[in-house]
Amino acid sequence: MTKKNINEMSFLDHLEDLRWHLIRSTLAIVIVGTVAFIFSRALFRLIIFAPLEMSFPTYRLLCKTAQFFNIESTFCGEELPMIIQSRTMAGQFSADIWTSITAGFVIAFPYVIYQFWKFISPGLHDDERKHSRGFIIASSLLFFIGVLFGYYVVCPLSINFLANYNISEVVDNQIDIGSYIGLVRSTALASGFIFELPIVIYFLTKIGLVTPLFLRKYRKYALVIVLILSAIITPPDVASQIIVAIPVLILYEISIYISKIVIRNQERKIKKDVRTR
């Protein structure tokens, strides 16, 4: 599709184009989700319920760290003081369906990003379209790293804290399966989207909404926002919030550098255009 075609397209034509990209993305998620549903027993055993075992890698690492500093820790227990149960007729079926859909979205994410890029790329310059492969790879890589960070760091910290938190000995932690899976899903996906920050900053810089100067000027406000986000997706203890905040702050600094590169390339292009006139 050429730029001329883009300019000649009406608003409804753009909506129709967007609809087909959304349909393709949805079909990819459904197909991969169906495969995940077929192998859901292994998915639940190896991934979803793995953080319930004290042999989970994160627990072992934090337990060894606590033992090294001679600190008593709940990460060194034999089992988590909680029971997963289903209290509704369709509880387990719903958990299976939504977990499969989530797995489908995560695995099909590169294709979803590809469809997003196919929708916006006709409106970009030729040299910008050349970087499509790098955009898809970078976006997918950041998302997968974020999901892994949420699963291996945020999720076990939250589960361990909430499982061991009690207001009275008469209260047992009998957790509904929907609540547990919702925690695993939200922490993994939220972390995945948060790690897309450099990509978001790239596009905001391209359209002129942010600049490196703007990002540096409001760095302290960004720190506050990061801490708030960390408090939302982690248990309410300082250590967990710091663990989550550190990589996000690093991503923010990387975003400043990316914004600087974008501005520099735009200035070079302007100078080049001036010389060729």
Side-chain angles (χ1 to χ4, degrees):
M1 190 180 297
T2 64
K3 287 188 177 182
K4 183 177 179 181
N5 298 135
I6 287 293
N7 294 331
E8 293 175 351
M9 288 177 65
S10 66
F11 177 72
L12 292 178
D13 291 332
H14 283 292
L15 286 182
E16 178 67 14
D17 188 38
L18 175 62
R19 185 173 74 91
W20 280 107
H21 287 296
L22 291 176
I23 289 174
R24 294 188 191 100
S25 299
T26 303
L27 283 175
I29 294 172
V30 170
I31 292 172
V32 178
T34 302
V35 176
F37 182 79
I38 296 173
F39 297 98
S40 62
R41 298 299 179 272
L43 177 65
F44 276 94
R45 184 181 72 256
L46 299 176
I47 298 178
I48 303 300
F49 291 143
L52 295 174
E53 303 293 332
M54 296 309 296
S55 59
F56 194 68
T58 306
Y59 298 146
R60 293 205 308 265
L61 176 62
L62 293 174
C63 178
K64 290 180 181 179
T65 303
Q67 290 174 343
F68 178 81
F69 291 102
N70 196 24
I71 301 174
E72 186 177 349
S73 173
T74 57
F75 296 109
C76 298
E78 295 182 359
E79 62 179 12
L80 289 172
M82 62 183 290
I83 299 173
I84 302 296
Q85 60 179 354
S86 177
R87 297 180 295 175
T88 59
M89 286 294 293
Q92 295 194 56
F93 179 73
S94 297
D96 205 354
I97 291 294
W98 283 109
T99 299
S100 299
I101 293 174
T102 302
F105 174 77
V106 171
I107 297 173
F109 185 80
Y111 183 78
V112 174
I113 284 293
Y114 170 74
Q115 288 299 321
F116 170 73
W117 181 262
K118 289 286 287 183
F119 176 70
I120 66 171
S121 61
L124 302 177
H125 296 288
D126 292 336
D127 57 337
E128 293 172 333
R129 285 198 292 271
K130 292 179 182 178
H131 302 299
S132 60
R133 184 178 301 177
F135 166 77
I136 295 169
I137 293 174
S139 299
S140 302
L141 185 62
L142 285 171
F143 180 75
F144 290 141
I145 292 175
V147 169
L148 291 174
F149 179 80
Y151 177 73
Y152 281 104
V153 178
V154 183
C155 184
L157 287 175
S158 301
I159 291 174
N160 184 273
F161 175 83
L162 296 173
N164 286 282
Y165 186 88
N166 67 328
I167 56 176
S168 174
E169 296 296 331
V170 302
V171 182
D172 293 329
N173 281 330
Q174 299 180 4
I175 311 301
D176 185 73
I177 187 172
S179 176
Y180 171 78
I181 293 177
L183 174 65
V184 176
R185 179 174 60 241
S186 62
T187 52
L189 290 180
S191 298
F193 288 126
I194 288 174
F195 271 61
E196 292 292 311
L197 179 62
I199 303 298
V200 174
I201 294 299
Y202 172 83
F203 280 105
L204 291 179
T205 305
K206 291 288 290 184
I207 61 179
L209 289 181
V210 299
T211 63
L213 181 61
F214 174 86
L215 294 173
R216 293 192 191 99
K217 180 179 179 181
Y218 292 98
R219 182 187 277 116
K220 57 183 178 181
Y221 300 107
L223 173 61
V224 175
I225 294 174
V226 167
L227 292 176
I228 292 174
L229 289 174
S230 302
I232 292 174
I233 65 176
T234 60
D237 64 275
V238 177
S240 300
Q241 294 174 16
I242 292 176
I243 290 174
V244 174
I246 288 175
V248 179
L249 289 174
I250 293 174
L251 286 172
Y252 187 81
E253 295 300 323
I254 293 175
S255 299
I256 295 177
Y257 180 72
I258 290 175
S259 180
K260 183 179 179 181
I261 293 176
V262 172
I263 295 296
R264 183 192 306 160
N265 290 339
Q266 289 178 339
E267 291 175 349
R268 287 177 179 175
K269 188 176 183 304
I270 292 173
K271 292 179 181 179
K272 184 178 179 181
D273 292 339
V274 170
R275 290 174 183 173
T276 54
R277 289 178 182 176

